[in-house]
Structures are given as structure tokens and as C-alpha cells.
Amino acid sequence: MTTLLTEQIYYDNNQLQIEACSISSIAEQIPTPFYCYSKARLLTNITHCKEAFENYGIDIHYAMKANSNLHILRLMNQQGLGVDMVSAGEMRRAEAAGIPANRMIFSGVGKSETELRQAIETGICQFNVESAEELALLASLMNEYTRPVNIALRVNPNVAVDTHKHITTGTKGNKFGIEATQTLSLFRQYADHPLLNMNGLAMHIGSQICDTAPYHQAISRLLELVNILEAEGMKVSSLDLGGGFGIDYGDGQKLSFEAVAKTIAEATTDFNGKVVIEPGRSLIADAGVLVSRVNYVKQAEPRSFLILDAAMNDLMRPALYQAIHPLVAANTTDYDSNAQSSELKSSELKSSELNSSELKRSELMNVDVVGPVCESTDTFARDYPVSSRTKAGDLMVFLCTGAYCSVMSSGYNSRDIIPEVMISNDEIQIIRQRITQDDLMKFEV
Ligand code: LLP
């Protein structure tokens, strides 16, 4: 049975805690909304991932797009992880966090000439090239350089993946990767290039995948290509299998590091070279929460609204992917039932039923959970059960918001970019200050 709360994010005495700090006490010091992370949870995730993959000699490159806060990147670096980057901006951050160039992989379907040059000059360990056109540009740029670069061709293995349509990337017709026959001809065409080391194949088939089957299928397709190339005398010395490992957002579905590591290790037993993965979400998502306050409980017909001070600009995933982030109260003292303070068993519930399984029906009201932004899509959840005692001023917390949340935030409606806070035991550290309108207006004339 899986639990949605963890050893590091849990209830104690009706108070939601992150490590040794209650959310309420943190919110006394830092105005809501803000993102808050558990350092211990992050380190636990990294350790689990390393234990699962490093046993098989598989290298881990953190897909830093999931959360590229400098403090978090430094932790990843201290733990010996490399990074998977998708822009010169990410490369700048990785460098600032002290990540060595020989642990940087550059992915992305539309790298600009400037970005390619910067990466060549930085001396990164691998370019994951996504088109014939990108490879041609890289080859022409290499006329100006002497140090060779390592190339992996990102293959589009054309596998179906059961996840949200906006986050599948390895199916025919997606903009990502290169189709199999073209991969072969590009590999052959550039095999003898003096400065392009045609080194490997790469894939990334999507995100929030909760099943090992598509990995198995996609790796088999990659290995078919490896066999063909090696039979022709070329060497494929690395396979980058991307990320995408799903986490439990409240419906009990996830892909454990152990399961996917075993699948990858088994599928690649006969492969004679380096295997790399690029997890993002699975390392950081459940280490983070978004803390917000109720501005109003708007009683209305035909539905009532819980209007929070957080909005779609702070947490975009519900508007963009219809994602549900479980919402819980930071303090359940006033509720009839103190059941929220017990462990929440996600396998028993769909995330939208999170509160209802713990509180008696009579103690619940169904609300649309919304933010203050002037858009109807500024809706976090519809018909969501919360305690009928919920009132203005209460702190409400979205769980599993460590990945693809803060990084996707914007300042729409001239709202501040909200702070990020790291908790380590009883220490509260602001790892990104609030970015205010005064800060932003400095760049405008
Ligand atoms: N490698 C590549 C080349 C990627 O494009 C991605 C994610 C990853 C690795 C890491 O995937 P992960 O392990 O985090 O699933 N904003 C969306 C997710 C977009 C993922 C994009 N690529 C969301 O909020 O669900």
C-alpha cells in the first residue's frame, strides 16, 4: 500500500509538517503563497535512484528542467549526478552550481547556433541531436573548432505511451527525435567525421509513465538499430534512455526506480557500452509542496468556490494538463475529525477523494478550488471535497509540487514570482526570494 504523505511530509498533532517544521510556523515567517521543499526527502529520492541504477552501472543525469533552482542543482551535484539540459540558460545554471562540463548532456529539439557554440566551447560531454538539420549545423560549426564533440542521435522509437497527450514524446508525429531509418543513414553519413564522435543513441518517450512496457519496447527498437550499425562496423558506445518515471499523485499509480532499473538492465544486458538515464520528476516532485492561504470561501449557486491566494501563474499544471495536485489543510485542529492527521492511503482513493475518505460525508463540502487570476482556467480542481469548516485565512497545501511547478510559473496578472523555501530538519532557508513587481519593473523603461 502506498502512502501519499511521507516520512518527511506528514501530520503531527493535526499540523502538517515538513521535517521538524510545521507549515503554519513557516507561514508565520514567509507570506503565502510559496513553494517549500524537504531536503531530506530530496536526498532520500536521490539515494533510492542511485541504489536502483548504479548497481547496474547506469549513470544518472538529472533532467534539470523539472526544477533548476541553484540550491537544488548544488545538491544534485554534491550527490554526484550529471545533468540533462535543454537550453543555454540551463547550462549557465548548471555551471553556476559547479556541475562539471563532462557531466552535462544537451538535449532539445531546437538548439540555436549560439547555444550550440556555447556548449561546444564549454566542452559538454554529449549532444543529443534531434534532426538532420541540427547535425548539419553542428558539423559546419565544428570547422571552427579542434576539440571533438560526442554525439548521440535521439531516436523517435514510435511507441505508444499511456500518459497525458501533452507529455508524450516518443510517438511518430511528435516533434522530438529522428525516425529509425533516418537515424541509420545519419549515423553512417557522419561515422567518419573527424570532429563529430558518433557515439550513441538516445530516447525520451514521455513523462509521468507508470508502466515498464513502453521502455522495454523502445529499448528493443534502439537495440535493433545498434545491431544494424555494429554489423556494419560502427561502434555505438552509449545509450541514453531519458526519464519519464511516473510518481504517485494520489491515484496509487507510479513507476518505482527498482522496476524501471530492472527493465532497463535486463533489456540492455547484451549492450556493450554505457547506459544513461535522465530522471527529473521522480527525483524532486514529492519533495515539494505549494503553501497557500484561503482568501475567500465564496458560497454561490450552483457551486461554491475555495478562492486561494495561489493561482495558475504559480502552479500551471492543472490548467495545462488537467493535473490534480492533492490539496490538504495545514492545520486540522478545528475539524470534527482529526483523521487528516493520520496517514493518507493513496491506493484507497482517487486524488479528488483525498479528503473525503478521511472525513465523514457530513463534514465535507464540495468546492471548485480556484485562484485570483482573471481566467476561468485558473482552476486547480472542480468539485473537490474539503472540510466544511474551511474558512478564509486557513492554510491549504498542494502536495507533490516539487517538479514542473515553480519552474513553470509566470508573473501573469502582474503577480509576484513566489519564493522557494528549503527545509532541513528545523532550519528554514529561503532558496529563492520573492520576485516583486519592483524587481521586474527595473527592467522596463
Ligand atoms: N529527458 C528529456 C529529453 C526530457 O524532455 C524530459 C522531460 C526528461 C528527460 C525528464 O522527464 P521526467 O523524468 O521529469 O518525466 N511539464 C510537464 C513535463 C514535461 C516533461 C518534459 N521533458 C509536466 O508538468 O508534467
Side-chain angles (χ1 to χ4, degrees):
M1 185 170 287
T2 57
T3 58
L4 203 63
L5 295 174
T6 58
E7 213 178 299
Q8 299 81 12
I9 303 177
Y10 59 98
Y11 280 98
D12 182 28
N13 225 351
N14 295 322
Q15 293 285 335
L16 187 64
Q17 300 276 132
I18 297 211
E19 302 193 23
C21 302
S22 70
I23 295 284
S24 311
S25 67
I26 306 167
E28 273 167 22
Q29 296 178 35
I30 298 162
T32 56
F34 58 87
Y35 281 102
C36 193
Y37 308 106
S38 156
K39 182 174 177 183
R41 182 68 201 173
L42 177 55
L43 293 177
T44 302
N45 290 343
I46 298 171
T47 306
H48 283 163
C49 187
K50 282 167 65 167
E51 281 169 2
F53 287 94
E54 288 183 351
N55 271 342
Y56 297 111
I58 298 171
D59 279 0
I60 305 165
H61 283 245
Y62 169 55
M64 60 182 281
K65 65 171 80 66
N67 190 321
S68 52
N69 183 294
L70 208 51
H71 188 97
I72 287 166
L73 293 180
R74 289 210 181 96
L75 287 174
M76 298 289 181
N77 186 31
Q78 281 160 15
Q79 297 300 307
L81 305 193
V83 282
D84 166 63
M85 328 171 291
V86 287
S87 70
E90 287 195 346
M91 188 163 68
R92 176 74 201 95
R93 282 178 173 272
E95 278 179 318
I99 294 163
N102 65 7
R103 282 201 263 127
M104 294 178 184
I105 293 178
F106 196 2
S107 300
V109 69
K111 307 174 193 80
S112 71
E113 181 177 327
T114 314
E115 289 180 312
L116 290 171
R117 281 183 191 283
Q118 282 177 17
I120 296 168
E121 285 158 22
T122 303
I124 67 162
C125 72
Q126 182 169 302
F127 289 79
N128 287 355
V129 170
E130 301 222 16
S131 64
E133 293 75 9
E134 182 189 342
L135 194 54
L137 175 58
L138 202 46
S140 76
L141 294 180
M142 288 313 288
N143 292 330
E144 299 168 36
Y145 299 93
T146 52
R147 183 171 53 179
V149 292
N150 292 329
I151 306 293
L153 295 182
R154 174 166 170 186
V155 182
N156 182 329
N158 191 22
V159 293
V161 172
D162 181 21
T163 185
H164 193 278
K165 63 177 187 304
H166 293 169
I167 48 178
T168 70
T169 50
T171 314
K172 201 170 176 176
N174 285 137
K175 69 175 175 179
F176 301 99
I178 308 171
E179 167 277 322
T181 22
Q182 195 184 15
T183 304
L184 291 174
S185 51
L186 285 174
F187 217 98
R188 291 178 188 123
Q189 187 185 340
Y190 288 90
D192 296 324
H193 193 287
L195 293 175
L196 298 180
N197 284 340
M198 298 304 287
N199 203 48
L201 297 179
M203 67 177 217
H204 172 73
I205 53 177
S207 199
Q208 187 56 18
I209 300 170
C210 295
D211 177 11
T212 54
Y215 287 95
H216 199 85
Q217 218 184 343
I219 295 168
S220 308
R221 300 216 170 133
L222 251 57
L223 290 173
E224 284 167 23
L225 304 184
V226 172
N227 289 340
I228 296 173
L229 293 167
E230 298 208 328
E232 294 175 21
M234 285 162 273
K235 173 76 193 133
V236 180
S237 50
S238 86
L239 282 185
D240 178 344
L241 303 176
F245 320 145
I247 66 126
D248 186 358
Y249 280 110
D251 59 4
Q253 298 275 314
K254 65 179 263 192
L255 189 55
S256 72
F257 290 133
E258 290 71 23
V260 74
K262 190 162 174 279
T263 300
I264 291 177
E266 282 172 6
T268 56
T269 0
D270 294 335
F271 174 69
N272 191 11
K274 188 84 224 152
V275 178
V276 171
I277 51 155
E278 303 170 347
R281 187 191 315 267
S282 49
L283 291 175
I284 174 96
D286 71 359
V289 301
L290 168 60
V291 182
S292 91
R293 227 177 253 284
V294 177
N295 277 351
Y296 299 97
V297 181
K298 176 173 171 176
Q299 306 286 356
E301 282 301 328
R303 53 183 65 216
S304 294
F305 299 90
L306 193 66
I307 307 181
L308 303 177
D309 63 1
M312 64 186 288
N313 69 298
D314 308 307
L315 174 60
M316 203 179 170
R317 299 192 71 256
L320 204 54
Y321 315 115
Q322 299 75 51
I324 298 280
H325 285 270
L327 181 68
V328 295
N331 177 353
T332 60
T333 316
D334 294 341
Y335 298 177
D336 286 349
S337 157
N338 66 0
Q340 275 207 357
S341 53
S342 67
E343 233 178 8
L344 298 170
K345 306 275 188 308
S346 64
S347 59
E348 292 168 6
L349 23 111
K350 297 195 174 56
S351 52
S352 61
E353 291 164 2
L354 188 66
N355 297 315
S356 59
S357 76
E358 302 291 337
L359 297 173
K360 288 189 219 100
R361 286 253 152 249
S362 59
E363 298 163 358
L364 289 170
M365 58 179 175
N366 273 17
V367 289
D368 281 10
V369 183
V370 302
V373 157
C374 299
E375 295 261 0
S376 297
T377 47
D378 186 20
T379 298
F380 295 114
R382 290 195 190 278
D383 269 327
Y384 197 86
V386 294
S387 161
S388 55
R389 303 207 168 188
T390 310
K391 57 184 186 314
D394 284 359
L395 289 168
M396 299 297 289
V397 180
F398 289 102
L399 302 176
C400 299
T401 53
Y404 302 113
C405 291
S406 177
V407 277
M408 289 175 71
S409 60
S410 78
Y412 184 41
N413 273 209
S414 293
R415 289 168 53 85
D416 293 350
I417 309 283
I418 64 176
E420 294 180 287
V421 180
M422 180 64 79
I423 306 300
S424 176
N425 196 14
D426 60 355
E427 260 175 57
I428 302 173
Q429 187 182 5
I430 297 178
I431 60 169
R432 188 181 69 197
Q433 299 285 344
R434 175 178 294 276
I435 301 172
T436 66
Q437 296 314 305
D438 285 333
D439 295 326
L440 292 168
M441 285 189 293
K442 285 185 198 139
F443 299 101
E444 296 171 27
V445 279

